[in-house]
Amino acid sequence: MNSKERHEARYQRRKAAREEKRRARLGKYDNFNNLLDANNLIGAFERSQKGVSWKSSVQRYEMNLLQQTNDSRKKLAAGEPAAQGFIEFDLRERGKMRHIKSVHIKERCIQRVLCDHALVPVLSNSLIYDNGASLENKGIHFSLNRLDKHLHWYYRHNDFSNEGYILLIDFSSYFDNIRHEHCYNIINKSFEDQRIKNLTKELIEPFRGKDGSAKSLGIGSQISQILAISYPNTIDHFIKEELGIKCYGRYMDDSYIIHRDKKYLRKCLDILREKYKELGIVVNEKKTQIVKISRGFTFLKTRHYLTESGKIIKKPCKASITRERRKLKRLKKKELEGLVLFKEIHTQYKSWRGHISHTNAYQTIQNMDKLFNSLFVFNKENGGIEHGNTTFRRFQENLPGRVRKIMREQNIDYIPGFESGYSQYGKN
């Protein structure tokens, strides 16, 4: 047996092993009866109501949970329509207007059980590891950490130099340009149970483009998320396997390729443009660019720098800092008008602060803490104290009396800048 024959034999063994694993997974999840299990439907509701349990529609559904579950189960078994239309509204996010199509709680539960017990386990199995969006144990920080690993790998294999380039690719109106026909092809190729195929197609079909064409998926719908990350999966594999690029990653509609040769990246971009065009994906030419790594670049709203020593420095996007400062000032006005509780403001700021803490932004966090405290904690109008620069005191009793009262009334464990109940301003 020569070298070529050994390679072919090894390839066939690995191919057979992958097919065996795929068959085993299909045997477990390619089964419509999993969707009819009452326990799975109740579990789907419990996961769907997180964060929206305050809504009256969700509360009414929960009051009659067993009846609603039985009704959904009967409709699914009989093949009756599961789609119930949308609640449509516009949402402005970071200055960009987005049109949202929200599904009703009953349909959301059906989508959840379909995704959790069929679509996600099967479709995610074929995704590349560096596809980081909308999957369990993945997310923004996963993708940013993978980018760090790719930068470190590139640095070691580039003679310990930070010279090189990164191709940043962004899609324009990604969800609006996803073609239903290709989504159906993905489902038909991945599943054998016809009832799963029919239900998935039924839930996709109501989403339509502005001109009524059979394209577009709704932002926020769970079935849209798993289909969106799977949509350009063939291109992901083409980049990794055909082009042989290790330093590639994608987070929904944002992706990057790292290489030492700028001309090669331009060639790759030309090839990928044709691939994307076949799927109806439009490349955002304004945001798609080739950047020198040593000068720094922005990916997922985080500024990255690879230094000559191989150290990676991550800074938050300046726009996000400015936006948070303005938001806190607006929230202060709303608090004074009685439109929002301090607890809600505290939760929002704690979330922003936790995200920023993953970057090299110690001074930024300190300055933002001072602004937060000056607006909501140590405000003279509320009987607070003036700012000082005393050493941190890690004791709950060092907190001002007004702060302790608010924490008791609104069941708050700590305030940003007072980690575990300590103050940087001393006693009241």
Side-chain angles (χ1 to χ4, degrees):
M1 182 181 289
N2 57 35
S3 176
K4 186 176 181 179
E5 292 173 340
R6 286 197 301 273
H7 288 169
E8 179 63 23
R10 184 163 59 246
Y11 168 73
Q12 293 299 335
R13 288 197 301 271
R14 290 176 176 174
K15 183 178 178 181
R18 286 195 298 270
E19 181 63 20
E20 185 178 351
K21 283 183 66 176
R22 190 183 78 87
R23 287 290 174 185
R25 185 173 288 268
L26 281 178
K28 183 177 180 181
Y29 294 107
D30 188 18
N31 187 351
F32 190 80
N33 291 329
N34 291 339
L35 280 57
L36 302 178
D37 189 307
N39 292 325
N40 291 341
L41 286 167
I42 292 175
F45 167 75
E46 291 174 350
R47 290 185 292 274
S48 297
Q49 59 91 27
K50 289 183 178 179
V52 293
S53 58
W54 55 271
K55 292 184 177 181
S56 60
S57 60
V58 178
Q59 294 174 1
R60 285 195 299 269
Y61 189 96
E62 188 173 16
M63 287 174 61
N64 303 289
L65 181 57
L66 294 180
Q67 181 180 345
Q68 295 283 8
T69 299
N70 189 47
D71 184 51
S72 297
R73 184 177 178 279
K74 287 181 178 179
K75 286 186 176 181
L76 288 174
E80 297 179 12
Q84 296 185 331
F86 307 110
I87 301 172
E88 301 188 34
F89 57 93
D90 292 324
L91 179 68
R92 184 177 293 277
E93 182 185 26
R94 297 191 297 271
K96 184 177 181 180
M97 188 65 73
R98 299 183 183 276
H99 186 70
I100 308 298
K101 294 181 178 180
S102 175
V103 298
H104 295 271
I105 182 62
K106 194 166 189 175
E107 182 181 345
R108 193 181 307 142
C109 294
I110 293 175
Q111 285 197 22
R112 169 71 73 168
V113 75
L114 173 64
C115 289
D116 289 355
H117 297 279
L119 298 186
V120 172
V122 174
L123 296 181
S124 63
N125 192 48
S126 64
L127 303 178
I128 63 171
Y129 183 69
D130 291 312
N131 187 342
S134 300
L135 291 174
E136 189 175 1
N137 299 323
K138 291 189 178 183
I140 289 180
H141 293 303
F142 170 86
S143 294
L144 292 175
N145 291 336
R146 288 299 296 171
L147 174 56
D148 290 351
K149 290 184 181 295
H150 286 155
L151 287 171
H152 282 139
W153 185 93
Y154 173 81
Y155 180 81
R156 293 194 305 270
H157 290 79
N158 192 39
D159 298 327
F160 296 94
S161 170
N162 65 342
E163 293 299 319
Y165 299 88
I166 181 168
L167 168 60
L168 301 170
I169 303 174
D170 184 82
F171 302 152
S172 180
S173 301
Y174 177 51
F175 277 77
D176 292 336
N177 291 314
I178 294 178
R179 296 174 179 169
H180 292 181
E181 182 181 359
H182 186 65
C183 293
Y184 299 154
N185 292 338
I186 294 173
I187 298 301
N188 291 333
K189 183 179 178 181
S190 303
F191 293 92
E192 296 178 357
D193 194 318
Q194 190 61 43
R195 291 178 296 176
I196 290 180
K197 296 179 185 180
N198 293 340
L199 178 60
T200 306
K201 292 176 182 178
E202 180 194 336
L203 296 174
I204 295 173
E205 201 275 335
F207 295 108
R208 289 282 171 173
K210 293 180 180 179
D211 57 354
S213 57
K215 66 176 185 178
S216 176
L217 293 176
I219 297 176
S221 176
Q222 188 181 6
I223 196 172
S224 300
Q225 297 295 317
I226 182 60
L227 289 173
I229 62 175
S230 303
Y231 192 75
N233 187 44
T234 54
I235 300 178
D236 294 341
H237 283 279
F238 172 79
I239 295 171
K240 287 280 191 180
E241 297 158 16
E242 298 294 327
L243 298 181
I245 298 175
K246 177 181 176 64
C247 299
Y248 166 76
R250 180 169 66 87
Y251 185 90
M252 199 59 80
D253 60 342
D254 294 304
S255 54
Y256 64 86
I257 299 176
I258 301 174
H259 200 271
R260 69 184 69 186
D261 190 349
K262 188 175 184 178
K263 292 182 179 179
Y264 179 75
L265 288 178
R266 285 176 177 167
K267 182 181 178 181
C268 290
L269 181 57
D270 291 336
I271 295 172
L272 293 177
R273 277 197 183 100
E274 295 300 319
K275 295 282 185 181
Y276 293 138
K277 188 176 180 180
E278 294 174 3
L279 296 179
I281 297 174
V282 179
V283 176
N284 189 329
E285 299 295 343
K286 185 177 179 180
K287 295 183 180 179
T288 298
Q289 54 188 331
I290 299 175
V291 183
K292 200 169 184 178
I293 295 176
S294 58
R295 293 181 181 175
F297 60 91
T298 302
F299 182 70
L300 297 181
K301 306 299 180 183
T302 303
R303 188 76 180 169
H304 293 77
Y305 299 91
L306 179 62
T307 65
E308 293 181 357
S309 64
K311 180 180 179 180
I312 296 174
I313 299 175
K314 294 190 288 187
K315 295 286 186 179
C317 181
K318 289 184 179 180
S320 67
I321 299 171
T322 303
R323 187 164 50 249
E324 181 63 18
R325 294 180 69 89
R326 292 174 178 173
K327 180 182 287 186
L328 289 177
K329 292 174 182 178
R330 289 197 303 268
L331 289 173
K332 177 60 182 178
K333 293 180 181 178
K334 290 187 177 182
E335 185 200 24
L336 294 175
E337 294 172 0
L339 300 175
V340 63
L341 291 174
F342 173 73
K343 181 178 181 180
E344 297 169 340
I345 301 172
H346 164 257
T347 301
Q348 184 278 329
Y349 180 63
K350 186 168 65 172
S351 174
W352 179 88
R353 194 176 188 274
H355 174 72
I356 294 296
S357 65
H358 289 269
T359 63
N360 304 95
Y362 174 80
Q363 194 58 49
T364 298
I365 294 175
Q366 295 300 304
N367 293 336
M368 197 66 76
D369 283 346
K370 288 182 180 179
L371 174 63
F372 180 88
N373 294 334
S374 67
L375 290 172
F376 301 104
V377 182
F378 297 100
N379 194 295
K380 282 186 176 181
E381 297 175 0
N382 296 316
I385 65 172
E386 295 186 36
H387 296 307
N389 292 311
T390 56
T391 308
F392 285 107
R393 294 184 173 88
R394 297 170 178 268
F395 302 100
Q396 182 72 35
E397 58 267 21
N398 286 332
L399 292 176
R402 173 180 177 268
V403 179
R404 295 199 303 272
K405 182 180 179 182
I406 292 174
M407 293 174 71
R408 286 195 303 270
E409 291 177 349
Q410 301 191 18
N411 192 28
I412 297 173
D413 296 327
Y414 77 97
I415 295 175
F418 302 84
E419 302 294 344
S420 300
Y422 62 84
S423 166
Q424 58 180 329
Y425 297 112
K427 296 182 179 180
N428 187 9

